[in-house]
Amino acid sequence: MEKSIMPHGHGGDPTLTRLLAALRGQGIEVDDSPRRLSEYSYDASNYRVRPAGVAFPANVDDVRAVVRECSALGISITPRGGGTSMAGNAIGTSLVLDLSRRMAAVEKPDAGEAAVWVDAGVVLGELRSYIESVTEGTLTFAPDPSSMTRATVGGSIGNDACGNHSVAYGRMTQHVEEVELVTADGAYLRAGRNFLCAVDHRDGHSVARAAELLHGLKELAQANLAALRVELGNIPRQVSGYHLGHLLPENGLDVAAAMAGSEGTCAIVVRAKVRLVPKPRTTALLCLGYANTIDSARDVMTILAAKPSAIEGLDASIVDIMRHRRGAGSVDSLPQGKAFLMVEFPGDTIQQASAACERLLAKLAADGRILDHALVTEPLERAKLWRVREDGAGLSSRRIDGIQTWPGWEDSAVAPDRLADYLAELLPLVERYGYTAFMYGHFGAGCVHMRLDYDLRSDNGRHTFEEFTREAAKLVVAHGGSLSGEHGDGRARSELLEVMYTPAMLGIFKAFKHQWDPAGILNPGIIVDPEPFAASLALAGVAQPGPGHGEPDAAPGTAVVHSAGNRELLPVVSPFVGNTHACIGVGRCRATSGGFMCPSYRATKDEKDSTRGRARVLQELVRAKGTSHDGWSSPEVREALDLCLSCKACSAGCPTGVDIAEAKSQLVDEHYRGKIRPFTHYSIGWLPRWLPFLTRIAPIANAGTAVRPFRIVGEWLGVSARRRLPDFAKRGRIRRRVREARFTDNADLLLFIDSFTRAFRPEVVPAAARVLRDSGASVGCTPDACCGLTWISTGQRDGARRRLARLITRLDDGTDRPIVVLEPSCAATIRDEGPKMVGGAAAARVAARVRSFSVAVDEAMSRGWRPTAPAPEKAVLQTHCHEHAVFGSGAQKRVLQAWGVPELVESSSCCGVAGNFGFEAEHFDVSMQVARHSLAPALAAGGGALVLTDGFSCAMQVSQLDSNRSSLHLAVALDPGPSREAGRVPGSW
């Protein structure tokens, strides 16, 4: 049996062992494996606390059982939702209770009340989509923090989250009507305005506990009326501490509201009745440019008087990061300036919303601080501008030069009328400590989000961090502000509450916590009896990362492993692989819609199958060993990476640039050097090597792959017998198709015919040539070469590097002619992997010339060309995941729009095959689960519409889902010549 190199959380502690056995005996899923504990040692904060176990309750009864067992044994509990806390309030030393995985039910909305009951594990974005769907767009759920695609209702109540539109809708407090709670002794209660009672009146323990608590809360409020009225609720974003002002008589003793912001320290929220609001019919966005952030803050009060629905601020550093990571086109709609305010107005009509913008603009112009503005009413353009604020904030976790930035002082808040003066002192303080600030925030509510490039690895750096934080805390309090404006106190700020509140108020907080949790087992160390904020920092003692991507030159601390056959040595990146050190727990990989990341998580809903979970395991590997060397020998690493499809979605979708596909490839490569590999590494991994022979004997090969005994042997060797295999094209057919393309010398552009298109879809070659000629270009053909993609995905990087080097030599012809690659995964490999794995000026030149076919057509259409082939009424689009990662998915959509396709159904995730993954026997089931998430619903919604799959693996998955359904490469769909009918099922579009 292989031995884990990662520590267990409880180290054989008999009490914890007894707890885990008791929970398992009641059928409750609980996991104390080293891999699971690695995943849950972090949230999105600066902290690392390794738990003893993680429980996944399925319902309220499970939660009560967990709490009763923990209470009896004196074991602490940390409730957790999406794990996106930036304050460190979702990690703990004993049992983590993950409510997000299985407690995600939503009841039917009560239209009369405009409210709905939901489980604590429901994701905010999914709740909003559901409400808007069932109410036909009349109602919505308002709170919209930037993490809404993965943050849960329970976690958002715990932090009292809000979001971009808080000037109109307030905090989570304003949207919670009632909550259902499990107390530290297992009572099951319902709380709301002026009541706290047992959910079930027959439950004697809960009835008695509710009466005791209600009496105690009334007494606590009555005894401290003056303090509660004076110290609490003074600014819109006073989130730090407990929100005990809601217990005052004039506020109706609102126990549910008082629980908002309690961070899981008093009771566990299991269900909530949340308020719904009318959805605006339309909105207009006014983006204002300023010379500096302080000037923008001085206009906030004037803007607030106009009653917009959002006032968001960001500075030039965020825009620069966005431009660097997403391209100049991502920020070209912004006005001129070094700081910006984004002001949104709702309206029944776009004219009404625009008029509100114009009126505000006239007032601001008179004040003389705005330099420029942009008034945007078109929905796509509005969304593009909002992405600057939303994506830029996430991307700011890494400076342009690769140095990471961190939270810690990322959530301070003041009254909006004091924001400019606060910033006028805060920014010089940041500069005095030598930090670089990346700043954005909810300026209309006085909330400032800021990431700073702290040094949290060295003793001196952590000491400086501590000094700065204490000074910043004094500064915000001097301006009448709050340490936290929406993220909560957690480990990051609880110790500093003594700076913000009087000893008397801290005593009231402690009394409130004690009434709910006298034994102190719920999220200890948070708000009351706090942990030091400079303790448990995740980077303490962790090795410095190397370069962010690729295979750098050998350097001190880098393990160099000899290649087989005395070929040139390749370094094995150490201590980190795949840029995994960069993961900070943002959790965008846990989103179940939008973007392509992460398909395996979308299929399993298990943290281990998210980019974040995998990165955390690899971080723990380095923590345990000091290196990633021989990481594939670790059972935890293999289990974490097993279901990675190598789709590369994380390389583009992760705000910090984690690339799990690269990490997996490097670790597998290093592990198998000089060893016998799995059969699929030779069969699928070397497939381009076998294809010329197989196409020579195509009839025999095709007959063989259809024979059951052959498929059974293949299954035993690792190739799924359930996967439909493609027919190999006959060699003569391939030659005819290539001749049909009529390539010319000295052409304007070159077509690259990859191994898979040549062997399985040769009709695409002449179709692509005809389309490109029709666009006005002469078309030639590159020399034959292989990009080595299948060698990369199976961790055979020596072989991949040799093939890429040979390809670059053949394609670097001294011209800058575009190279159009028909298979998008091959285009992505040449563009992305060539410069990283081979390097040099030639690799960069060839990469710059490479286009996917859809990008080449998009460029032609931008010059005014339009296809002569008639457009279908409807199309289903499956973008290849590698194309999405390297080129984006916008080109195909623009092409179809310009072609005149009136209705487009888009599959917004990986198809599930992703090269070799979907053909492997052990991965077939997950491959189909991935397909059922996005591709299958898109096909169903498309009916008999044209299905576009430029990627060969995507085409295979379509035929796997429906053997009677065909799909086409974009080149065949646009072809003005005879191939438009090739491969099409009659009546399919």
Side-chain angles (χ1 to χ4, degrees):
M1 182 177 176
E2 293 173 299
K3 185 178 179 181
S4 169
I5 62 168
M6 299 178 188
H8 277 273
H10 55 81
D13 181 288
T15 305
L16 286 161
T17 301
R18 195 156 65 249
L19 169 69
L20 299 177
L23 296 179
R24 289 175 178 134
Q26 296 177 61
I28 297 170
E29 183 182 354
V30 61
D31 193 341
D32 66 334
S33 67
R35 191 215 75 243
R36 182 68 79 191
L37 303 186
S38 297
E39 297 156 8
Y40 283 79
S41 295
Y42 306 83
D43 49 19
S45 70
N46 296 335
Y47 301 94
R48 172 189 177 270
V49 179
R50 197 167 178 86
V54 183
F56 301 94
N59 49 48
V60 174
D61 287 341
D62 282 358
V63 175
R64 297 185 73 183
V66 168
V67 172
R68 287 193 198 102
E69 295 290 347
C70 288
S71 178
L73 295 170
I75 293 171
S76 64
I77 303 169
T78 298
R80 178 175 170 124
T84 57
S85 164
M86 298 177 76
N89 46 25
I91 48 178
T93 57
S94 294
L95 188 73
V96 171
L97 193 67
D98 185 344
L99 300 166
S100 70
R101 188 169 170 195
R102 301 173 70 186
M103 293 184 65
V106 181
E107 292 187 4
K108 187 175 180 180
D110 186 332
E113 281 191 271
V116 62
W117 276 99
V118 300
D119 281 358
V122 171
V123 172
L124 300 183
E126 294 177 11
L127 173 60
R128 171 179 279 194
S129 296
Y130 170 75
I131 294 301
E132 292 180 2
S133 173
V134 299
T135 65
E136 298 181 341
T138 59
L139 295 176
T140 191
F141 180 67
D144 58 347
S146 60
S147 58
M148 68 180 295
T149 58
R150 57 269 187 203
T152 63
V153 169
S156 299
I157 293 172
N159 288 358
D160 202 8
C162 34
N164 294 346
H165 294 84
S166 64
V167 295
Y169 299 115
R171 311 195 308 253
M172 197 75 177
T173 308
Q174 281 78 50
H175 299 272
V176 177
E177 294 191 355
E178 299 177 26
V179 291
E180 289 185 359
L181 313 164
V182 174
T183 64
D185 58 354
Y188 182 26
L189 312 180
R190 181 173 292 159
R193 191 176 181 85
N194 206 28
F195 76 89
L196 179 63
C197 63
V199 173
D200 182 354
H201 65 86
R202 296 166 298 181
D203 178 353
H205 171 66
S206 296
V207 170
R209 188 73 175 107
E212 177 189 15
L213 277 167
L214 189 59
H215 176 74
L217 294 175
K218 287 179 179 178
E219 281 197 337
L220 182 67
Q222 196 62 38
N224 297 283
L225 293 174
L228 298 183
R229 287 167 176 154
V230 170
E231 292 196 50
L232 302 181
N234 293 321
I235 63 173
R237 290 294 190 93
Q238 189 171 340
V239 167
S240 281
Y242 292 123
H243 304 173
L244 304 187
H246 295 290
L247 300 180
L248 289 167
E250 59 267 30
N251 293 328
L253 191 73
D254 194 338
V255 182
M259 295 307 295
S262 60
E263 304 185 33
T265 62
C266 296
I268 299 170
V269 175
V270 290
R271 298 180 76 231
K273 183 180 181 181
V274 295
R275 186 173 295 118
L276 307 177
V277 300
K279 182 183 178 183
R281 292 178 180 273
T282 189
T283 60
L285 182 62
L286 178 61
C287 191
L288 305 167
Y290 292 86
N292 56 66
T293 303
I294 297 169
D295 275 0
S296 71
R298 296 206 184 279
D299 273 352
V300 164
M301 295 308 295
T302 300
I303 299 171
L304 275 173
K307 299 191 181 306
S309 55
I311 308 174
E312 294 294 294
L314 65 158
D315 67 10
S317 63
I318 301 293
V319 176
D320 291 341
I321 285 281
M322 188 75 175
R323 182 183 293 112
H324 176 73
R325 295 282 299 278
R326 295 285 189 260
S330 66
V331 296
D332 59 6
S333 298
L334 285 168
Q336 296 298 309
K338 295 292 184 183
F340 308 90
L341 289 179
M342 302 178 73
V343 184
E344 184 183 86
F345 283 94
D348 290 334
T349 65
I350 197 64
Q351 292 78 13
Q352 185 185 68
S354 298
C357 293
E358 296 285 3
R359 288 193 296 272
L360 174 62
L361 196 58
K363 293 179 182 177
L364 295 174
D367 292 335
R369 280 185 284 268
I370 57 171
L371 301 179
D372 192 13
H373 74 276
L375 201 169
V376 182
T377 58
E378 199 277 320
L380 290 178
E381 202 63 20
R382 284 203 312 269
K384 178 180 171 182
L385 274 171
W386 274 120
R387 277 196 298 275
V388 177
R389 161 64 179 87
E390 293 159 2
D391 290 3
L395 295 173
S396 68
S397 60
R398 199 171 46 151
R399 289 182 355 190
I400 289 174
D401 60 6
I403 291 176
Q404 286 181 270
T405 65
W406 304 99
W409 195 249
E410 87 297 341
D411 194 41
S412 59
V414 295
D417 62 344
R418 301 190 67 170
L419 178 61
D421 292 340
Y422 169 57
L423 292 175
E425 292 190 59
L426 177 61
L427 295 178
L429 177 66
V430 170
E431 188 175 348
R432 176 155 58 83
Y433 274 86
Y435 295 135
T436 302
F438 294 82
M439 191 166 61
Y440 55 100
H442 312 296
F443 279 21
C447 185
V448 179
H449 293 327
M450 174 184 287
R451 297 187 70 91
L452 299 170
D453 49 354
Y454 303 119
D455 167 19
L456 299 177
R457 282 187 168 84
S458 72
D459 290 340
N460 286 339
R462 289 191 296 276
H463 178 70
T464 303
F465 158 72
E466 188 171 359
E467 284 189 332
F468 166 80
T469 305
R470 292 190 186 280
E471 197 165 345
K474 292 175 183 176
L475 176 62
V476 75
V477 170
H479 282 270
S482 176
L483 307 173
S484 173
E486 68 172 324
H487 295 164
D489 297 313
R491 295 173 182 273
R493 287 173 282 273
S494 292
E495 185 189 7
L496 298 168
L497 288 172
E498 64 183 19
V499 179
M500 182 174 170
Y501 291 112
T502 63
M505 182 54 68
L506 294 178
I508 298 169
F509 288 165
K510 184 171 288 191
F512 179 72
K513 157 81 170 175
H514 184 77
Q515 287 201 14
W516 288 97
D517 179 24
I521 68 167
L522 294 179
N523 219 2
I526 307 297
I527 301 180
V528 169
D529 299 323
E531 293 284 330
F533 72 85
S536 302
L537 289 167
L539 292 184
V542 176
Q544 286 281 352
H549 287 284
E551 296 177 319
D553 294 333
T558 299
V560 178
V561 180
H562 289 270
S563 301
N566 294 318
R567 293 192 292 269
E568 186 177 350
L569 301 184
L570 281 179
V572 177
V573 177
S574 176
F576 295 95
V577 288
N579 209 37
T580 50
H581 70 279
C583 177
I584 56 171
V586 170
R588 186 174 292 178
C589 47
R590 284 174 54 105
T592 57
S593 62
F596 276 52
M597 184 178 65
C598 172
S600 54
Y601 174 79
R602 292 178 177 185
T604 68
K605 300 295 174 64
D606 192 328
E607 178 76 14
K608 84 174 179 67
D609 299 318
S610 68
T611 301
R612 180 177 73 178
R614 292 170 176 137
R616 293 311 198 186
V617 170
L618 292 171
Q619 289 175 0
E620 289 292 285
L621 171 72
V622 173
R623 184 180 290 274
K625 294 185 64 177
T627 176
S628 297
H629 183 70
D630 201 28
W632 198 253
S633 297
S634 162
E636 293 82 19
V637 170
R638 289 201 307 277
E639 189 175 1
L641 298 183
D642 177 49
L643 296 185
C644 170
L645 285 79
S646 297
C647 70
K648 296 187 73 68
C650 54
S651 67
C654 174
T656 62
V658 170
D659 189 342
I660 296 297
E662 184 173 272
K664 184 176 183 179
S665 175
Q666 289 175 349
L667 291 170
V668 171
D669 175 57
E670 186 246 351
H671 179 77
Y672 282 109
R673 286 174 183 248
K675 300 176 185 177
I676 299 295
R677 289 172 168 268
F679 175 75
T680 53
H681 288 199
Y682 302 112
S683 57
I684 302 173
W686 289 10
L687 187 56
R689 173 180 282 178
W690 310 131
L691 285 176
F693 170 72
L694 291 169
T695 54
R696 285 194 190 99
I697 61 165
I700 298 172
N702 292 333
T705 59
V707 174
R708 181 171 173 76
F710 176 85
R711 299 304 303 272
I712 292 172
V713 172
E715 177 90 18
W716 181 71
L717 292 172
V719 180
S720 176
R722 292 177 288 172
R723 172 66 59 186
R724 292 188 70 192
L725 297 180
D727 285 337
F728 300 97
K730 294 180 182 179
R731 193 175 182 85
R733 176 185 164 205
I734 295 171
R735 287 173 174 164
R736 285 195 302 275
R737 290 299 194 181
V738 173
R739 284 196 301 269
E740 187 184 329
R742 296 188 291 115
F743 294 123
T744 60
D745 296 331
N746 302 315
D748 298 325
L749 55 80
L750 302 174
L751 207 61
F752 177 87
I753 308 173
D754 60 275
S755 303
F756 288 89
T757 300
R758 184 187 299 270
F760 299 113
R761 299 198 290 182
E763 70 277 0
V764 173
V765 176
R770 283 189 287 267
V771 171
L772 295 171
R773 269 197 302 272
D774 194 50
S775 74
S778 56
V779 182
C781 186
T782 68
D784 287 348
C786 176
C787 69
L789 169 63
T790 55
W791 278 263
I792 295 172
S793 63
T794 52
Q796 304 180 73
R797 297 178 76 84
D798 273 354
R801 185 168 180 259
R802 290 197 310 276
R803 283 163 177 78
L804 270 170
R806 189 157 51 240
L807 177 148
I808 288 164
T809 299
R810 292 179 178 177
L811 268 57
D812 187 30
D813 58 5
T815 74
D816 60 358
R817 293 179 294 175
I819 300 170
V820 181
V821 183
L822 296 174
E823 170 57 44
S825 59
C826 295
T829 300
I830 302 168
R831 168 70 72 89
D832 185 50
E833 300 290 350
K836 291 192 296 187
M837 295 186 70
V838 178
R845 285 193 298 269
V846 171
R849 293 168 57 196
V850 165
R851 284 115 169 95
S852 67
F853 181 78
S854 64
V855 169
V857 173
D858 184 39
E859 291 174 346
M861 286 187 161
S862 70
R863 297 190 295 267
W865 173 76
R866 292 294 180 270
T868 55
E873 289 298 313
K874 190 176 185 180
V876 176
L877 174 62
Q878 172 65 56
T879 301
H880 193 286
C881 46
H882 287 191
E883 180 166 23
H884 170 82
V886 176
F887 298 97
S889 54
Q892 287 176 303
K893 288 184 281 189
R894 288 191 297 271
V895 166
L896 295 174
Q897 183 180 23
W899 188 20
V901 178
E903 185 177 355
L904 177 64
V905 179
E906 188 178 7
S907 170
S908 61
S909 192
C910 176
C911 71
V913 175
N916 55 294
F917 182 90
F919 285 87
E920 294 168 349
E922 70 268 32
H923 295 143
F924 178 82
D925 290 331
V926 172
S927 169
M928 299 312 296
Q929 280 181 262
V930 172
R932 285 190 285 272
H933 178 273
S934 186
L935 176 56
L939 292 174
L946 162 69
V947 181
L948 289 171
T949 53
D950 284 8
F952 171 69
S953 58
C954 306
M956 291 304 303
Q957 191 72 306
V958 169
S959 68
Q960 185 76 37
L961 288 166
D962 184 350
S963 60
N964 294 316
R965 193 78 176 264
S966 66
S967 62
L968 298 181
H969 192 286
L970 180 63
V972 177
L974 296 176
D975 185 9
S979 77
R980 289 193 65 248
E981 299 299 315
R984 179 168 69 85
V985 174
S988 61
W989 60 277

